[in-house]
Amino acid sequence: MSVVKINAISVPEHAKDRFEERFRGRAGAVESTPGFEWFELLRPLEGTDQYLVYTRWASEEAYRAWESGQDFARAHEGGGSELAPAASDSSHLWSYEVIESSAPDRP
């Protein structure tokens, strides 16, 4: 089954617009990676300042291959400490294995 990586990143109020802009400008940095399945950037609505970066991969090996490659480095460089998730002290990476999944029925 697939694996999910969720990066929880605390973003102060004054940096939210720039943080989101950085993700809009990522220009498909991961979409062509073998084993990549899904990406979502989730904005908090209430109760927290943590954005969630959700990616889904065919396997742990596929994620590790991307993480150790040049595309990962390019996707996480620049932007300064306020914008670069990899440089944030308030970032947490959670890993999950998908054990059950469903989607709407489509004709």
Side-chain angles (χ1 to χ4, degrees):
M1 291 293 281
S2 301
V3 295
V4 169
K5 302 294 180 172
I6 301 171
N7 196 355
I9 306 166
S10 293
V11 179
E13 188 66 37
H14 73 277
K16 287 182 178 184
D17 288 343
R18 183 72 179 106
F19 180 80
E20 292 179 21
E21 178 184 320
R22 182 171 189 268
F23 273 91
R24 279 191 297 277
R26 64 187 187 79
V30 70
E31 282 82 344
S32 62
T33 302
F36 170 77
E37 296 180 349
W38 199 262
F39 165 87
E40 290 180 317
L41 175 61
L42 307 177
R43 177 193 298 140
L45 294 178
E46 59 188 38
T48 185
D49 66 353
Q50 286 190 326
Y51 280 73
L52 300 180
V53 181
Y54 172 100
T55 58
R56 183 171 167 153
W57 299 87
S59 66
E60 182 68 24
E61 293 77 22
Y63 171 77
R64 294 285 176 210
W66 176 73
E67 182 183 43
S68 64
Q70 290 182 357
D71 289 339
F72 178 87
R74 276 194 293 271
H76 292 84
E77 70 186 8
S81 61
E82 290 185 40
L83 300 177
S88 175
D89 290 336
S90 58
S91 154
H92 305 282
L93 181 64
W94 301 324
S95 299
Y96 295 87
E97 182 177 31
V98 177
I99 59 170
E100 188 173 338
S101 183
S102 65
D105 290 336
R106 307 272 182 206

XYZ file of all heavy atoms in Angstrom:
852
model
N 0.835 -1.194 0.000
C 0.000 0.000 0.000
C 0.879 1.257 0.000
O 2.054 1.199 0.276
C -0.915 0.015 1.222
C -2.021 -1.038 1.238
S -3.289 -0.820 0.000
C -4.312 0.446 0.692
N 0.243 2.360 -0.254
C 0.928 3.649 -0.308
C 1.381 4.107 1.069
O 0.905 3.610 2.090
C -0.013 4.702 -0.889
O -0.433 4.356 -2.185
N 2.290 5.078 1.062
C 2.686 5.755 2.290
C 2.378 7.242 2.136
O 2.392 7.784 1.038
C 4.181 5.554 2.642
C 4.472 4.106 2.948
C 5.089 6.074 1.566
N 2.065 7.869 3.264
C 1.743 9.285 3.312
C 2.773 9.978 4.190
O 3.123 9.485 5.262
C 0.317 9.500 3.887
C 0.057 10.966 4.189
C -0.721 8.940 2.928
N 3.254 11.122 3.718
C 4.159 11.965 4.483
C 3.445 13.292 4.712
O 2.968 13.929 3.768
C 5.465 12.215 3.729
C 6.215 10.941 3.368
C 6.705 10.232 4.607
C 7.461 8.967 4.262
N 8.109 8.368 5.414
N 3.338 13.681 5.978
C 2.687 14.940 6.332
C 3.710 15.791 7.057
O 4.219 15.399 8.110
C 1.453 14.714 7.226
C 0.441 13.826 6.503
C 0.840 16.063 7.625
C -0.705 13.359 7.377
N 4.010 16.943 6.486
C 4.925 17.884 7.105
C 4.082 18.979 7.741
O 3.384 19.716 7.035
C 5.883 18.461 6.060
C 7.079 19.136 6.671
O 7.188 19.265 7.882
N 7.978 19.582 5.824
N 4.089 19.061 9.069
C 3.343 20.090 9.805
C 4.289 21.254 10.053
O 5.305 21.094 10.733
C 2.819 19.526 11.113
N 3.954 22.417 9.492
C 4.851 23.576 9.529
C 4.147 24.755 10.173
O 3.127 25.232 9.668
C 5.290 23.970 8.107
C 5.892 22.762 7.385
C 6.279 25.125 8.151
C 6.048 22.963 5.892
N 4.684 25.232 11.292
C 4.142 26.426 11.933
C 4.575 27.654 11.140
O 5.762 27.838 10.877
C 4.635 26.538 13.382
O 4.085 25.503 14.149
N 3.594 28.479 10.779
C 3.865 29.682 9.996
C 3.233 30.863 10.720
O 2.012 30.889 10.913
C 3.286 29.569 8.568
C 3.562 30.831 7.767
C 3.847 28.335 7.858
N 4.037 31.853 11.127
C 3.467 33.023 11.801
C 2.563 33.816 10.857
O 2.726 33.767 9.632
C 4.690 33.844 12.211
C 5.847 33.276 11.492
C 5.480 31.925 10.993
N 1.615 34.499 11.419
C 0.614 35.246 10.657
C 1.238 36.135 9.583
O 0.777 36.163 8.447
C -0.243 36.093 11.619
C -1.427 36.758 10.971
C -2.478 35.768 10.480
O -2.711 34.751 11.143
O -3.066 36.019 9.401
N 2.296 36.851 9.930
C 2.907 37.796 8.988
C 3.573 37.108 7.792
O 3.840 37.749 6.782
C 3.936 38.683 9.703
C 5.201 37.966 10.066
N 5.319 37.197 11.207
C 6.386 37.881 9.416
C 6.537 36.679 11.259
N 7.198 37.080 10.184
N 3.807 35.801 7.862
C 4.510 35.090 6.789
C 3.598 34.197 5.947
O 4.057 33.584 4.988
C 5.636 34.254 7.392
N 2.317 34.131 6.269
C 1.414 33.195 5.594
C 1.299 33.449 4.094
O 1.371 32.515 3.296
C 0.036 33.207 6.248
C 0.034 32.519 7.589
C -1.343 32.492 8.203
C -1.283 31.734 9.517
N -2.590 31.589 10.129
N 1.104 34.694 3.686
C 0.953 34.988 2.258
C 2.198 34.580 1.483
O 2.105 33.962 0.422
C 0.660 36.469 2.023
C -0.744 36.867 2.455
O -1.601 35.971 2.630
O -0.975 38.078 2.628
N 3.358 34.911 2.011
C 4.615 34.574 1.330
C 4.845 33.062 1.312
O 5.320 32.501 0.323
C 5.776 35.301 2.015
C 7.096 35.071 1.356
C 7.190 35.811 0.003
N 8.484 35.570 -0.586
C 8.694 34.747 -1.631
N 7.695 34.140 -2.198
N 9.899 34.568 -2.101
N 4.499 32.387 2.385
C 4.628 30.937 2.459
C 3.778 30.264 1.386
O 4.239 29.400 0.644
C 4.218 30.466 3.858
C 4.305 28.983 4.057
C 5.522 28.375 4.328
C 3.174 28.194 3.986
C 5.607 27.003 4.512
C 3.243 26.823 4.176
C 4.462 26.226 4.434
N 2.521 30.689 1.267
C 1.633 30.131 0.253
C 2.123 30.448 -1.155
O 2.054 29.605 -2.054
C 0.208 30.642 0.457
C -0.436 30.110 1.722
C -1.830 30.637 1.949
O -2.492 31.096 0.975
O -2.302 30.596 3.106
N 2.640 31.654 -1.338
C 3.183 32.048 -2.634
C 4.332 31.129 -3.042
O 4.440 30.732 -4.196
C 3.673 33.493 -2.555
C 4.311 34.012 -3.821
C 4.842 35.412 -3.622
O 4.166 36.222 -2.949
O 5.942 35.694 -4.120
N 5.159 30.773 -2.090
C 6.281 29.881 -2.375
C 5.788 28.527 -2.881
O 6.342 27.971 -3.819
C 7.132 29.697 -1.130
C 8.345 28.828 -1.373
C 9.263 28.850 -0.161
N 10.510 28.201 -0.485
C 10.739 26.901 -0.285
N 9.807 26.147 0.237
N 11.885 26.376 -0.625
N 4.729 28.009 -2.304
C 4.196 26.729 -2.759
C 3.522 26.853 -4.121
O 3.624 25.944 -4.946
C 3.243 26.124 -1.720
C 3.972 25.302 -0.709
C 4.419 25.878 0.460
C 4.234 23.957 -0.938
C 5.114 25.135 1.392
C 4.934 23.202 -0.009
C 5.377 23.795 1.155
N 2.842 27.972 -4.376
C 2.235 28.174 -5.696
C 3.310 28.204 -6.781
O 3.074 27.783 -7.900
C 1.421 29.463 -5.737
C 0.041 29.316 -5.140
C -0.828 30.526 -5.439
N -0.329 31.759 -4.866
C -0.535 32.146 -3.600
N -1.228 31.382 -2.772
N -0.057 33.281 -3.154
N 4.494 28.670 -6.425
C 5.587 28.786 -7.382
C 6.442 27.541 -7.506
O 7.465 27.556 -8.175
N 6.045 26.460 -6.892
C 6.875 25.257 -6.909
C 6.890 24.586 -8.277
O 7.737 23.745 -8.544
C 6.449 24.276 -5.822
C 5.087 23.726 -5.990
C 4.606 22.881 -4.834
N 3.350 22.286 -5.192
C 3.217 21.227 -5.968
N 4.275 20.614 -6.412
N 2.030 20.770 -6.279
N 5.956 24.934 -9.151
C 5.959 24.544 -10.564
C 6.214 23.068 -10.804
O 7.115 22.691 -11.537
C 6.966 25.394 -11.326
N 5.423 22.236 -10.180
C 5.493 20.808 -10.462
C 6.773 20.127 -10.043
O 7.244 19.211 -10.715
N 7.351 20.554 -8.957
C 8.643 20.031 -8.527
C 8.628 18.540 -8.239
O 9.656 17.889 -8.314
C 9.116 20.786 -7.284
N 7.477 17.966 -7.935
C 7.429 16.568 -7.529
C 6.564 15.688 -8.446
O 6.703 14.479 -8.455
C 6.953 16.466 -6.054
C 5.489 16.832 -5.922
C 7.230 15.113 -5.458
N 5.718 16.288 -9.234
C 4.699 15.545 -9.969
C 5.247 14.484 -10.919
O 4.599 13.471 -11.163
C 3.776 16.498 -10.736
C 2.731 17.160 -9.868
C 3.231 18.385 -9.113
O 4.473 18.590 -8.995
O 2.388 19.150 -8.625
N 6.413 14.671 -11.478
C 6.961 13.696 -12.426
C 7.876 12.662 -11.763
O 8.475 11.838 -12.443
C 7.723 14.423 -13.540
O 8.816 15.128 -12.987
N 7.957 12.688 -10.453
C 8.811 11.759 -9.720
C 8.199 10.354 -9.714
O 7.023 10.203 -9.386
C 8.995 12.246 -8.265
O 9.557 13.555 -8.285
C 9.890 11.317 -7.481
N 8.986 9.327 -10.055
C 8.455 7.957 -9.997
C 7.950 7.623 -8.589
O 8.617 7.905 -7.595
C 9.669 7.090 -10.354
C 10.554 7.993 -11.154
C 10.362 9.366 -10.561
N 6.749 7.078 -8.518
C 6.164 6.689 -7.241
C 5.355 7.776 -6.559
O 4.666 7.518 -5.573
N 5.399 9.011 -7.067
C 4.593 10.092 -6.490
C 3.136 9.872 -6.852
O 2.812 9.544 -7.991
C 5.051 11.452 -7.018
C 4.122 12.574 -6.648
C 4.137 13.106 -5.379
C 3.207 13.062 -7.567
C 3.253 14.133 -5.025
C 2.332 14.080 -7.230
C 2.363 14.611 -5.961
N 2.233 10.072 -5.883
C 0.803 9.882 -6.122
C -0.057 11.125 -5.874
O -1.061 11.317 -6.549
C 0.283 8.727 -5.257
C 0.902 7.404 -5.613
C 0.399 6.247 -4.761
O -0.290 6.474 -3.738
O 0.700 5.106 -5.114
N 0.305 11.967 -4.903
C -0.599 13.065 -4.546
C 0.139 14.133 -3.744
O 1.050 13.830 -2.994
C -1.745 12.518 -3.708
C -2.952 13.399 -3.650
C -3.270 14.283 -2.645
C -3.991 13.499 -4.606
N -4.453 14.902 -2.936
C -4.926 14.438 -4.148
C -4.236 12.869 -5.820
C -6.066 14.777 -4.844
C -5.379 13.205 -6.516
C -6.278 14.148 -6.022
N -0.301 15.385 -3.898
C 0.199 16.510 -3.109
C -0.970 17.399 -2.736
O -1.843 17.663 -3.568
C 1.211 17.348 -3.914
C 1.478 18.708 -3.306
C 2.456 18.874 -2.347
C 0.716 19.813 -3.665
C 2.683 20.117 -1.771
C 0.940 21.056 -3.098
C 1.927 21.202 -2.148
N -0.983 17.874 -1.498
C -1.917 18.912 -1.064
C -1.227 19.797 -0.034
O -0.506 19.295 0.830
C -3.176 18.317 -0.430
C -4.079 17.624 -1.418
C -5.330 17.043 -0.780
O -5.235 16.446 0.306
O -6.404 17.188 -1.386
N -1.477 21.099 -0.129
C -1.065 22.048 0.904
C -2.341 22.461 1.623
O -3.276 22.980 0.998
C -0.386 23.270 0.289
C -0.019 24.379 1.271
C 0.978 23.890 2.327
C 0.538 25.598 0.527
N -2.396 22.206 2.921
C -3.597 22.486 3.708
C -3.367 23.695 4.605
O -2.439 23.716 5.415
C -3.956 21.256 4.551
C -4.088 19.941 3.786
C -4.371 18.793 4.747
C -5.167 20.035 2.727
N -4.234 24.710 4.453
C -4.158 25.937 5.248
C -5.014 25.772 6.503
O -6.168 25.359 6.425
C -4.694 27.101 4.441
C -4.716 28.418 5.230
C -5.523 29.493 4.535
N -4.962 29.824 3.243
C -5.704 30.073 2.154
N -7.015 30.042 2.215
N -5.131 30.387 1.018
N -4.472 26.137 7.677
C -5.278 26.034 8.896
C -6.410 27.061 8.892
O -6.231 28.190 8.444
C -4.268 26.338 10.008
C -3.216 27.182 9.356
C -3.146 26.707 7.930
N -7.569 26.639 9.388
C -8.708 27.548 9.472
C -8.882 28.121 10.871
O -9.292 29.262 11.019
C -9.991 26.839 9.035
C -10.043 26.432 7.565
C -11.346 25.705 7.270
C -9.899 27.660 6.670
N -8.582 27.320 11.880
C -8.737 27.809 13.253
C -7.954 26.926 14.217
O -7.705 25.756 13.945
C -10.214 27.831 13.661
C -10.875 26.469 13.574
C -12.382 26.528 13.782
O -13.036 27.465 13.314
O -12.894 25.603 14.424
N -7.548 27.512 15.324
C -6.958 26.749 16.411
C -5.482 26.409 16.292
O -4.923 25.835 17.218
N -4.854 26.728 15.159
C -3.441 26.405 14.998
C -2.830 27.297 13.929
O -3.544 27.873 13.109
C -3.235 24.924 14.609
O -1.833 24.636 14.578
C -3.859 24.602 13.268
N -1.507 27.401 13.941
C -0.795 28.109 12.880
C -0.047 27.126 11.980
O 0.754 27.524 11.161
C 0.176 29.138 13.460
C 1.318 28.501 14.252
O 1.306 27.272 14.482
O 2.238 29.243 14.642
N -0.352 25.837 12.114
C 0.356 24.818 11.350
C -0.317 24.517 10.012
O -1.482 24.120 9.968
C 0.466 23.514 12.140
C 1.464 23.584 13.260
C 1.725 22.212 13.862
O 0.840 21.369 13.928
N 2.941 22.004 14.308
N 0.449 24.710 8.952
C 0.057 24.241 7.638
C 0.453 22.775 7.555
O 1.429 22.345 8.177
C 0.815 25.000 6.547
C 0.258 26.360 6.230
C 0.412 27.430 7.106
C -0.408 26.586 5.035
C -0.085 28.678 6.806
C -0.915 27.843 4.719
C -0.745 28.877 5.612
O -1.250 30.114 5.304
N -0.289 21.999 6.765
C 0.067 20.611 6.536
C 0.394 20.427 5.058
O -0.387 20.811 4.186
C -1.078 19.672 6.926
C -1.527 19.731 8.391
C -2.659 18.746 8.635
C -0.369 19.467 9.338
N 1.573 19.878 4.794
C 1.979 19.526 3.446
C 1.809 18.017 3.348
O 2.523 17.259 3.998
C 3.432 19.934 3.154
C 3.807 19.566 1.724
C 3.632 21.427 3.412
N 0.845 17.580 2.546
C 0.464 16.173 2.436
C 0.974 15.630 1.111
O 0.652 16.164 0.049
C -1.059 16.085 2.502
C -1.634 14.714 2.223
C -2.037 13.898 3.272
C -1.800 14.252 0.922
C -2.590 12.643 3.021
C -2.348 13.001 0.671
C -2.729 12.201 1.715
O -3.268 10.971 1.477
N 1.793 14.599 1.165
C 2.192 13.896 -0.052
C 1.932 12.416 0.130
O 2.037 11.878 1.239
C 3.672 14.121 -0.433
O 4.515 13.713 0.638
C 3.939 15.573 -0.789
N 1.590 11.765 -0.983
C 1.321 10.327 -0.964
C 2.233 9.672 -1.998
O 2.387 10.192 -3.109
C -0.144 10.072 -1.297
C -0.535 8.617 -1.223
C -2.039 8.480 -1.337
N -2.392 7.093 -1.563
C -3.544 6.569 -1.198
N -4.454 7.325 -0.626
N -3.791 5.308 -1.427
N 2.810 8.540 -1.604
C 3.817 7.848 -2.406
C 3.462 6.376 -2.550
O 2.852 5.789 -1.661
C 5.186 7.975 -1.715
C 5.594 9.395 -1.584
C 5.268 10.258 -0.564
C 6.340 10.151 -2.512
N 5.785 11.507 -0.823
C 6.451 11.469 -2.017
C 6.928 9.841 -3.741
C 7.128 12.465 -2.686
C 7.620 10.841 -4.410
C 7.712 12.135 -3.884
N 3.876 5.767 -3.647
C 3.625 4.356 -3.901
C 4.323 3.467 -2.875
O 3.838 2.386 -2.559
C 4.075 3.977 -5.309
N 5.444 3.952 -2.339
C 6.204 3.165 -1.363
C 7.144 4.075 -0.591
O 7.423 5.210 -1.011
C 7.035 2.086 -2.063
O 8.037 2.697 -2.863
N 7.639 3.570 0.513
C 8.649 4.300 1.289
C 9.904 4.506 0.438
O 10.542 5.550 0.495
C 8.987 3.522 2.568
C 9.994 4.208 3.468
C 9.485 5.482 4.131
O 8.259 5.641 4.285
O 10.326 6.332 4.506
N 10.240 3.507 -0.375
C 11.424 3.593 -1.232
C 11.291 4.732 -2.241
O 12.259 5.433 -2.525
C 11.665 2.263 -1.946
C 12.047 1.128 -1.021
C 10.874 0.537 -0.229
O 9.688 0.680 -0.632
O 11.140 -0.058 0.838
N 10.091 4.912 -2.808
C 9.868 6.005 -3.757
C 10.064 7.352 -3.080
O 10.697 8.253 -3.639
C 8.467 5.907 -4.365
N 9.527 7.494 -1.860
C 9.715 8.748 -1.124
C 11.190 8.984 -0.828
O 11.707 10.082 -1.036
C 8.916 8.747 0.185
C 9.266 9.934 1.047
C 8.761 11.196 0.754
C 10.142 9.806 2.126
C 9.101 12.302 1.517
C 10.495 10.905 2.894
C 9.971 12.152 2.582
O 10.332 13.243 3.324
N 11.888 7.966 -0.346
C 13.315 8.097 -0.001
C 14.151 8.459 -1.227
O 15.082 9.256 -1.124
C 13.841 6.811 0.640
C 13.232 6.499 1.981
C 13.779 7.388 3.064
N 13.085 7.099 4.309
C 12.877 7.978 5.250
N 13.302 9.203 5.107
N 12.241 7.653 6.348
N 13.812 7.886 -2.377
C 14.544 8.209 -3.603
C 14.364 9.690 -3.948
O 15.316 10.374 -4.327
C 14.073 7.319 -4.755
N 13.132 10.197 -3.816
C 12.890 11.620 -4.081
C 13.603 12.485 -3.048
O 14.252 13.468 -3.382
C 11.393 11.917 -4.083
C 11.094 13.375 -4.245
C 11.228 14.107 -5.389
C 10.648 14.282 -3.241
N 10.869 15.418 -5.148
C 10.517 15.544 -3.844
C 10.337 14.142 -1.895
C 10.090 16.659 -3.141
C 9.906 15.255 -1.207
C 9.790 16.497 -1.825
N 13.516 12.095 -1.769
C 14.114 12.871 -0.683
C 15.630 12.982 -0.853
O 16.213 14.005 -0.501
C 13.778 12.201 0.654
C 14.299 12.944 1.860
C 14.017 12.207 3.152
O 14.208 10.967 3.191
O 13.601 12.865 4.107
N 16.261 11.973 -1.385
C 17.714 11.995 -1.523
C 18.172 12.577 -2.865
O 19.369 12.673 -3.119
C 18.288 10.584 -1.347
O 17.828 9.749 -2.385
N 17.231 12.985 -3.718
C 17.584 13.471 -5.042
C 17.680 14.975 -5.147
O 17.371 15.728 -4.222
N 18.090 15.417 -6.324
C 18.265 16.846 -6.594
C 16.941 17.601 -6.632
O 16.883 18.769 -6.272
C 19.003 17.048 -7.911
C 20.450 16.636 -7.845
C 21.167 16.884 -9.162
O 20.565 17.320 -10.146
N 22.454 16.603 -9.190
N 15.860 16.947 -7.075
C 14.563 17.625 -7.121
C 14.099 18.031 -5.728
O 13.533 19.105 -5.537
C 13.503 16.743 -7.784
C 13.725 16.607 -9.283
O 14.415 17.471 -9.862
O 13.209 15.643 -9.863
N 14.348 17.173 -4.725
C 14.003 17.508 -3.348
C 14.810 18.724 -2.895
O 14.266 19.665 -2.327
C 14.280 16.317 -2.422
C 13.997 16.603 -0.966
C 12.728 16.412 -0.442
C 14.998 17.056 -0.118
C 12.458 16.671 0.900
C 14.738 17.319 1.218
C 13.466 17.121 1.721
N 16.107 18.705 -3.162
C 16.965 19.824 -2.756
C 16.504 21.122 -3.396
O 16.411 22.158 -2.730
C 18.418 19.526 -3.124
N 16.176 21.082 -4.694
C 15.701 22.292 -5.380
C 14.371 22.768 -4.809
O 14.134 23.963 -4.667
C 15.561 22.028 -6.874
C 16.860 22.190 -7.648
C 16.603 22.249 -9.143
N 16.099 20.988 -9.652
C 16.868 19.993 -10.084
N 18.178 20.099 -10.064
N 16.325 18.879 -10.540
N 13.483 21.840 -4.475
C 12.164 22.206 -3.948
C 12.257 22.828 -2.569
O 11.353 23.549 -2.151
C 11.259 20.975 -3.909
N 13.330 22.569 -1.829
C 13.451 23.043 -0.455
C 14.532 24.093 -0.263
O 14.825 24.479 0.867
C 13.695 21.860 0.486
C 12.516 20.973 0.585
N 12.259 19.977 -0.325
C 11.500 20.948 1.474
C 11.139 19.369 0.004
N 10.653 19.939 1.083
N 15.127 24.599 -1.321
C 16.155 25.618 -1.175
C 15.535 27.006 -1.220
O 14.404 27.186 -1.633
C 17.208 25.486 -2.276
C 16.691 25.863 -3.636
C 17.700 25.588 -4.756
O 18.737 24.962 -4.495
O 17.424 26.009 -5.883
N 16.304 27.976 -0.817
C 15.892 29.370 -0.942
C 14.744 29.748 -0.039
O 14.257 28.960 0.739
N 14.313 31.003 -0.152
C 13.175 31.484 0.596
C 13.496 31.952 1.996
O 12.657 32.506 2.670
N 14.700 31.726 2.458
C 15.051 32.154 3.806
C 14.398 31.289 4.859
O 13.568 30.441 4.570
N 14.753 31.502 6.105
C 14.261 30.651 7.181
C 12.759 30.792 7.385
O 12.118 29.887 7.910
C 15.000 30.947 8.477
O 14.780 32.289 8.856
N 12.173 31.918 6.991
C 10.728 32.085 7.157
C 9.936 31.259 6.156
O 8.782 30.961 6.367
C 10.341 33.557 6.997
C 10.803 34.423 8.129
C 10.301 35.841 7.978
O 9.141 36.013 7.561
O 11.062 36.761 8.271
N 10.547 30.898 5.028
C 9.803 30.245 3.965
C 10.248 28.829 3.672
O 9.493 28.054 3.112
C 9.925 31.065 2.679
C 9.402 32.482 2.775
C 9.634 33.210 1.468
C 7.928 32.479 3.113
N 11.447 28.476 3.994
C 11.955 27.152 3.646
C 11.552 26.144 4.704
O 12.094 26.144 5.791
C 13.471 27.202 3.511
N 10.571 25.263 4.390
C 10.111 24.299 5.382
C 11.225 23.431 5.942
O 11.239 23.122 7.114
C 9.100 23.450 4.607
C 8.661 24.302 3.487
C 9.824 25.187 3.149
N 12.192 23.066 5.117
C 13.262 22.200 5.596
C 14.120 22.900 6.644
O 14.773 22.252 7.454
C 14.124 21.744 4.427
N 14.123 24.231 6.645
C 14.955 24.986 7.572
C 14.201 25.399 8.836
O 14.771 25.975 9.736
C 15.504 26.239 6.882
N 12.924 25.107 8.875
C 12.096 25.554 9.985
C 12.305 24.689 11.222
O 12.290 23.468 11.158
C 10.619 25.506 9.574
O 9.798 25.819 10.675
N 12.514 25.352 12.351
C 12.616 24.628 13.618
C 11.246 24.146 14.086
O 11.164 23.321 14.985
C 13.226 25.530 14.702
C 14.688 25.813 14.442
O 15.348 25.012 13.754
O 15.177 26.845 14.933
N 10.184 24.681 13.507
C 8.838 24.329 13.944
C 8.142 23.452 12.903
O 6.973 23.595 12.639
C 8.037 25.600 14.205
O 8.000 26.392 13.039
N 8.898 22.541 12.320
C 8.370 21.633 11.310
C 8.501 20.204 11.819
O 9.487 19.843 12.446
C 9.175 21.848 10.026
O 9.185 20.736 9.217
N 7.474 19.391 11.559
C 7.464 17.994 11.996
C 7.018 17.129 10.830
O 5.997 17.416 10.209
C 6.500 17.790 13.168
C 6.773 18.693 14.315
N 7.785 18.477 15.214
C 6.177 19.848 14.697
C 7.788 19.455 16.112
N 6.825 20.297 15.812
N 7.767 16.076 10.535
C 7.394 15.158 9.476
C 6.781 13.909 10.088
O 7.404 13.232 10.905
C 8.608 14.771 8.623
C 8.311 13.824 7.458
C 7.377 14.495 6.436
C 9.601 13.384 6.796
N 5.529 13.630 9.687
C 4.827 12.441 10.155
C 4.723 11.469 8.991
O 4.494 11.868 7.847
C 3.425 12.805 10.648
C 3.415 13.797 11.773
C 4.301 13.899 12.794
C 2.452 14.834 11.987
N 3.953 14.929 13.639
C 2.819 15.514 13.165
C 1.318 15.241 11.309
C 2.089 16.583 13.673
C 0.590 16.309 11.816
C 0.980 16.965 12.984
N 4.856 10.183 9.264
C 4.772 9.150 8.236
C 3.670 8.163 8.594
O 3.551 7.747 9.748
C 6.105 8.391 8.134
O 7.143 9.268 7.779
N 2.888 7.790 7.591
C 1.788 6.846 7.773
C 1.761 5.865 6.614
O 2.109 6.221 5.486
C 0.426 7.573 7.812
C 0.262 8.477 8.987
C 0.707 9.792 8.950
C -0.339 8.014 10.148
C 0.560 10.631 10.040
C -0.491 8.859 11.250
C -0.030 10.159 11.182
O -0.176 10.993 12.261
N 1.294 4.674 6.880
C 1.034 3.702 5.834
C -0.472 3.667 5.599
O -1.256 3.626 6.549
C 1.524 2.319 6.269
C 1.330 1.256 5.223
C 1.901 -0.085 5.652
O 1.903 -0.376 6.870
O 2.330 -0.820 4.774
N -0.878 3.719 4.349
C -2.296 3.648 4.015
C -2.733 2.192 4.125
O -2.193 1.328 3.442
C -2.562 4.181 2.592
C -4.035 4.033 2.227
C -2.119 5.637 2.477
N -3.689 1.917 5.009
C -4.172 0.551 5.171
C -5.584 0.377 4.617
O -6.035 -0.732 4.403
C -4.092 0.070 6.640
C -4.906 0.975 7.556
C -2.645 -0.002 7.083
C -5.054 0.426 8.968
N -6.280 1.490 4.387
C -7.598 1.435 3.772
C -7.846 2.769 3.098
O -7.457 3.816 3.607
C -8.675 1.165 4.825
C -10.025 0.903 4.234
C -11.044 0.461 5.267
O -10.675 -0.032 6.344
O -12.230 0.628 4.980
N -8.485 2.747 1.952
C -8.741 3.958 1.196
C -10.031 3.779 0.405
O -10.372 2.670 0.007
C -7.562 4.219 0.246
O -7.741 5.420 -0.441
N -10.746 4.870 0.177
C -11.932 4.819 -0.674
C -12.074 6.137 -1.420
O -11.502 7.146 -1.032
C -13.192 4.521 0.154
O -13.448 5.578 1.047
N -12.833 6.105 -2.481
C -13.103 7.282 -3.289
C -14.542 7.203 -3.757
O -15.161 6.129 -3.706
C -12.152 7.329 -4.484
N -15.109 8.318 -4.197
C -16.491 8.281 -4.680
C -16.629 7.340 -5.879
O -15.698 7.200 -6.668
C -16.769 9.728 -5.125
C -15.668 10.537 -4.591
C -14.519 9.631 -4.294
N -17.773 6.694 -5.984
C -18.057 5.866 -7.158
C -18.196 6.773 -8.366
O -18.848 7.814 -8.310
C -19.356 5.075 -6.962
C -19.216 3.985 -5.923
O -18.079 3.515 -5.681
O -20.245 3.589 -5.323
N -17.560 6.388 -9.436
C -17.637 7.145 -10.699
C -18.204 6.225 -11.773
O -17.782 5.088 -11.886
C -16.251 7.611 -11.134
C -15.489 8.382 -10.084
C -15.794 9.833 -10.153
N -14.952 10.503 -9.124
C -15.268 11.621 -8.568
N -16.369 12.229 -8.895
N -14.496 12.164 -7.664
N -19.155 6.728 -12.566
C -19.719 5.893 -13.651
C -18.693 5.613 -14.733
O -17.752 6.235 -14.933
C -20.879 6.698 -14.199
C -20.791 8.052 -13.606
C -19.800 8.004 -12.486
